[in-house]
C-alpha cells in the first residue's frame, strides 16, 4: 500500500461555505443547449443523452435537486436540472419518493437514469458536498464546481470523493467541471473522480482537477477489475500527488490532457489495465506514467506526448516508471472517432476550455477553441404561435417514409409514426412545450439534410438540436421549422430535440434526405 502523502500547496483554497437559503427553490425554466456533444467512451453502449427530451427545472439548493428527481413520474423519466448558487450541507436534505433514493449531505443519484445536472447563470458550486452516482445510468454533469469534499473531519460527504461512481454505473459524461480539494488524505480528502464496482462507459472532458493528494481511480482494489472504458480528454490535472488516474484492469484513453505538477506519480496502470496515452503535455512532474505501488503490472500505448521537465525514478521493486523514454508495451483499439490537437498547443487550449464557467468552449482539433451554443438563453417571447404552412421539400427521396419513429412523452392523441407517414394532416406533439422525436432505420443510413414541417395550429419552435442518436453528436441546431443541411452522417437513428418553444409544437413530418 502506498503511504499517505499530503499534497503540498502553495496556498490552501478557502473552505468557507457560503450561506444559502435552506428552502427548496424549484421552477420550470427555459431549456438548456448543451455543448458540442458527448465524446469518448460515453458515446458507446447506446450513448449518453442525460435528461434530453425531458422537463427542464431550476434548482438553487441541494434539497431542490433531490425534489426534482423525486417529482418525476418514474426513476427513468428524463430531466435536466439547471443549478445556480452554492449547494452545501445546510441546504441539502433527503427527499423521499418512488422515483428517487436520496440522502442528506450528498447529492445522491442512486438507482435512477436519464438525468442532466448543469450549472447555469452565475455558476453552481457544490461546497464540501460530493456527487454520488450509484446503480445508475445515462447521467450528464456539466459546468459545475465541486470543492473540498472530506471523508474525515467535518463535515464529511460522499466518502471524500468530489464525484464518485459505483455499483453497475453505465454511461456517464462529466464535462467542463472543476474538481478541487485543499490537501491530501491526512487533511481529510480522498479522490476527485473515482469509479469502482463495475462502472463503465465514462467520459471526463474539459475539466480541472487540482490541489489534491489523489486525482481519481478506476477500480478500488486489485480484484476490482470490472471497471473501464473511460476517456479523459482536454483536462487539466494540477498539483496532484498521484492517481491521475490509477487504473486497475480495464481500458482507458487519455488524450490532449495537460498534467502539471504531478508530485509523486501520474497515470498508474496496474493489474492488467491498458492505457492509450495520446498527445498529452506533461510538465514539471515526476514519474508521470508507469506501474506504481504494486507488482501487478499494467500496460500502455504511447504516442505524441510531450515531457517538459519531467523527472523519472529508477525502477525497483513495486515502482516501475515507464520513463525516461516511454515506449508502448501494448496496443489499444479505440471504437469511437476523435481528433487530436497537437501536444505542443495542449496547455494553451486546455487553459481556454477546461473547467466550469468557461463558456463550455471546446477544441476543434486545430488548437483553436470554439464556443458552443449558449447554455442559458433565458426566457424568450416569440409572440403568438403562427401557422408557417408547408415548406418546399429538398430534392430527392424522403428517407423517413417507411422508417420507424419513437421519442419522448407524447401529447394525448398524437403518434410518433405521424412524422414519417407523409401526411401533413397528422402530427406528433410532446407532452409539454419541449421533447424529442426520432426517425430510425434497421441499418446505417446516410443523412445530410432534414426538413421539419409543422401542422396547422402548431406552436413555434424557439430552439432545437438535431442529434446523431448513435453517438450523441450534434448535427445542427437552430430555431423554427424548415430545411437544415449538415455534414453527411451515417447513422441508424436521428433525433429532433426541441429545447424551447412557444405553445406546443405539432410536428407533421420529420423528413430526411441523403443530399
Amino acid at each position: 500500500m502506498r503511504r499517505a502523502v499530503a499534497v503540498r500547496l502553495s496556498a490552501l483554497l478557502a473552505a468557507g461555505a457560503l450561506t444559502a437559503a435552506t428552502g427548496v427553490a424549484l421552477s420550470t425554466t427555459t431549456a438548456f443547449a448543451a455543448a458540442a456533444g458527448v465524446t469518448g467512451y460515453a458515446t458507446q453502449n447506446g450513448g449518453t443523452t442525460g435528461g434530453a427530451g425531458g422537463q427542464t427545472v431550476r434548482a438553487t439548493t441541494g434539497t431542490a435537486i433531490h425534489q426534482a428527481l423525486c417529482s418525476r413520474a418514474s426513476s427513468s423519466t428524463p430531466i435536466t436540472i439547471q443549478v445556480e448558487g452554492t449547494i452545501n450541507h445546510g441546504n441539502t436534505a433527503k427527499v423521499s419518493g418512488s422515483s428517487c433514493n436520496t440522502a442528506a449531505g450528498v447529492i445522491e443519484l442512486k438507482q435512477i437514469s436519464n438525468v442532466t445536472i448543469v450549472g447555469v447563470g452565475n455558476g453552481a458550486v457544490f461546497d464540501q458536498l460530493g456527487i454520488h452516482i450509484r446503480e445508475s445510468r445515462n447521467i450528464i454533469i456539466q459546468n459545475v464546481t465541486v470543492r473540498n469534499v472530506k471523508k474525515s473531519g467535518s463535515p464529511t460527504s460522499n466518502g471524500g470523493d468530489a464525484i464518485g461512481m459505483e455499483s453497475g454505473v453505465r454511461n456517464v459524461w462529466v464535462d467542463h467541471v472543476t474538481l478541487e480539494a485543499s490537501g491530501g488524505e491526512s487533511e481529510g480528502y480522498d479522490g476527485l473522480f473515482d469509479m469502482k464496482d463495475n462502472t463503465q462507459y465514462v467520459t471526463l472532458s474539459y475539466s480541472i482537477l487540482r490541489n489534491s493528494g489523489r486525482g481519481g481511480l478506476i477500480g478500488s482494489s486489485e480484484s476490482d477489475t470490472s471497471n473501464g472504458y473511460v476517456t479523459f480528454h482536454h483536462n487539466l490535472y494540477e498539483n496532484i500527488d498521484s492517481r491521475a488516474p490509477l487504473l486497475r484492469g480495464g481500458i482507458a484513453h487519455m488524450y490532449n490532457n495537460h498534467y502539471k505538477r504531478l508530485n509523486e506519480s501520474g497515470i498508474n496502470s496496474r493489474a492488467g489495465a491498458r492505457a492509450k496515452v495520446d498527445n498529452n503535455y506533461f510538465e514539471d512532474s515526476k514519474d508521470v506514467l508507469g506501474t506504481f505501488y504494486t507488482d501487478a503490472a499494467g500496460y500502455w500505448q504511447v504516442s505524441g506526448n510531450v515531457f517538459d521537465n519531467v523527472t523519472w525514478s529508477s525502477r525497483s521493486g513495486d515502482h516501475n516508471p515507464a520513463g525516461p523514454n516511454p515506449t508502448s508495451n501494448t496496443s489499444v483499439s479505440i471504437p469511437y472517432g476523435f481528433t487530436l490537437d497537437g501536444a505542443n498547443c495542449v496547455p494553451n487550449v486546455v487553459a481556454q476550455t477546461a473547467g466550469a464557467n468557461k463558456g463550455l468552449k471546446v477544441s476543434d482539433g486545430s488548437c483553436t477553441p470554439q464556443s458552443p451554443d449558449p447554455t442559458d438563453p433565458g426566457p424568450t417571447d416569440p409572440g403568438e404561435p403562427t401557422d408557417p404552412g408547408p415548406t418546399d421539400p429538398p430534392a430527392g427521396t424522403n428517407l423517413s417514409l417507411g422508417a420507424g419513429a419513437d421519442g419522448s412523452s407524447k401529447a394525448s392523441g398524437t403518434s410518433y409514426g405521424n412524422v414519417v407517414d407523409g401526411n401533413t394532416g397528422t402530427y406528433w406533439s410532446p407532452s409539454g412545450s419541449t421533447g424529442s422525436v426520432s426517425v430510425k432505420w434497421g441499418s446505417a443510413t446516410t443523412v445530410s439534410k432534414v426538413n421539419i414541417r409543422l401542422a396547422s395550429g402548431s406552436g413555434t419552435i424557439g430552439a432545437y438540436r438535431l442529434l446523431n442518436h448513435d453517438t450523441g453528436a450534434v448535427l445542427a441546431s437552430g430555431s423554427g421549422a424548415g430545411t437544415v443541411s449538415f455534414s453527411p452522417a451515417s447513422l441508424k437513428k436521428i433525433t429532433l430535440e426541441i429545447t424551447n418553444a412557444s405553445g406546443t409544437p405539432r410536428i407533421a413530418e420529420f423528413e430526411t434526405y441523403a443530399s
Side-chain angles (χ1 to χ4, degrees):
M1 295 291 293
R2 175 182 180 265
R3 65 183 178 86
V5 180
V7 69
R8 296 169 177 83
L9 302 175
S10 58
L12 293 180
L13 295 174
L18 300 175
T19 58
T22 58
V24 175
L26 180 64
S27 63
T28 59
T29 185
T30 55
F32 157 68
V38 63
T39 54
Y41 272 115
T43 65
Q44 306 298 291
N45 191 43
T48 304
T49 57
Q55 183 186 21
T56 299
V57 300
R58 182 75 63 105
T60 58
T61 68
T63 305
I65 294 173
H66 286 161
Q67 185 64 55
L69 296 171
C70 297
S71 298
R72 297 181 297 162
S74 73
S75 62
S76 62
T77 301
I79 189 169
T80 294
I81 304 172
Q82 296 182 334
V83 183
E84 184 174 17
T86 300
I87 310 301
N88 55 33
H89 284 261
N91 64 31
T92 303
K94 174 183 174 66
V95 177
S96 298
S98 60
S99 61
C100 64
N101 189 347
T102 70
V106 62
I107 297 302
E108 194 80 306
L109 307 180
K110 183 176 181 181
Q111 298 167 341
I112 62 174
S113 59
N114 308 328
V115 173
T116 294
I117 293 177
V118 57
V120 297
N122 293 319
V125 176
F126 294 78
D127 187 38
Q128 304 181 79
L129 196 79
I131 299 175
H132 186 202
I133 305 171
R134 183 183 179 95
E135 300 173 67
S136 296
R137 62 174 56 231
N138 195 25
I139 306 294
I140 294 174
I141 300 173
Q142 194 171 50
N143 200 41
V144 303
T145 294
V146 186
R147 68 188 185 195
N148 293 329
V149 180
K150 287 190 172 184
K151 68 175 182 178
S152 62
S154 180
T156 61
S157 177
N158 196 28
D161 296 337
I163 296 178
M165 292 159 270
E166 61 179 305
S167 300
V169 171
R170 293 290 186 276
N171 290 88
V172 176
W173 181 34
V174 179
D175 177 66
H176 285 89
V177 304
T178 298
L179 308 177
E180 55 192 12
S182 293
E185 188 175 24
S186 62
E187 285 82 23
Y189 303 97
D190 197 11
L192 295 177
F193 194 70
D194 280 12
M195 291 156 276
K196 56 189 178 181
D197 190 15
N198 194 22
T199 292
Q200 298 180 355
Y201 300 105
V202 176
T203 295
L204 176 67
S205 56
Y206 298 102
S207 294
I208 295 173
L209 298 87
R210 65 188 173 201
N211 300 339
S212 177
R214 296 170 172 174
L217 58 77
I218 305 171
S220 60
S221 68
E222 305 295 74
S223 61
D224 183 17
T225 57
S226 60
N227 309 277
Y229 307 117
V230 183
T231 301
F232 303 83
H233 75 89
H234 293 92
N235 303 300
L236 170 65
Y237 284 78
E238 184 175 21
N239 199 18
I240 302 290
D241 277 352
S242 65
R243 302 186 181 183
L246 187 161
L247 174 64
R248 293 176 168 118
I251 293 174
H253 186 198
M254 299 83 169
Y255 71 90
N256 286 152
N257 300 292
H258 184 196
Y259 300 91
K260 187 174 182 180
R261 285 193 294 147
L262 303 182
N263 301 315
E264 300 292 332
S265 61
I267 299 170
N268 185 353
S269 179
R270 54 200 271 187
R274 293 188 294 149
K276 183 170 172 59
V277 185
D278 295 326
N279 286 36
N280 300 282
Y281 196 102
F282 298 92
E283 181 178 7
D284 298 337
S285 296
K286 176 183 178 182
D287 291 341
V288 298
L289 174 65
T291 296
F292 307 107
Y293 323 119
T294 182
D295 57 5
Y299 308 95
W300 43 85
Q301 179 181 352
V302 293
S303 176
N305 302 287
V306 170
F307 301 94
D308 180 2
N309 192 33
V310 170
T311 60
W312 300 92
S313 302
S314 299
R315 296 186 180 185
S316 63
D318 63 358
H319 192 83
N320 291 281
N325 297 300
T327 58
S328 301
N329 57 18
T330 190
S331 61
V332 181
S333 177
I334 299 300
Y336 52 82
F338 60 99
T339 302
L340 292 172
D341 285 304
N344 282 318
C345 74
V346 162
N348 181 56
V349 169
V350 168
Q352 295 183 67
T353 58
N357 305 316
K358 289 286 187 69
L360 296 180
K361 290 183 178 179
V362 298
S363 171
D364 64 355
S366 63
C367 299
T368 305
Q370 303 291 315
S371 296
D373 294 335
T375 59
D376 186 21
T380 59
D381 181 14
E384 293 297 318
T386 60
D387 178 8
T391 58
D392 292 332
T397 301
N398 176 11
L399 303 174
S400 298
L401 297 178
D406 59 25
S408 63
S409 297
K410 56 182 181 289
S412 177
T414 72
S415 171
Y416 304 124
N418 287 340
V419 304
V420 295
D421 63 359
N423 181 359
T424 58
T426 62
Y427 60 88
W428 165 86
S429 285
S431 58
S433 61
T434 63
S436 62
V437 64
S438 303
V439 177
K440 57 185 180 179
W441 299 270
S443 58
T445 301
T446 298
V447 178
S448 66
K449 192 171 294 185
V450 160
N451 186 39
I452 302 301
R453 293 174 175 265
L454 300 183
S456 177
S458 174
T460 302
I461 299 175
Y464 70 82
R465 299 193 303 161
L466 284 171
L467 305 175
N468 179 336
H469 193 89
D470 303 352
T471 65
V474 178
L475 302 172
S477 60
S479 61
T483 302
V484 60
S485 300
F486 44 87
S487 297
S490 178
L491 43 77
K492 291 185 178 180
K493 186 174 179 180
I494 185 170
T495 297
L496 169 67
E497 180 187 344
I498 301 170
T499 58
N500 180 253
S502 175
T504 300
R506 295 181 176 182
I507 308 301
E509 292 298 300
F510 183 176
E511 300 175 349
T512 54
Y513 297 87
S515 61

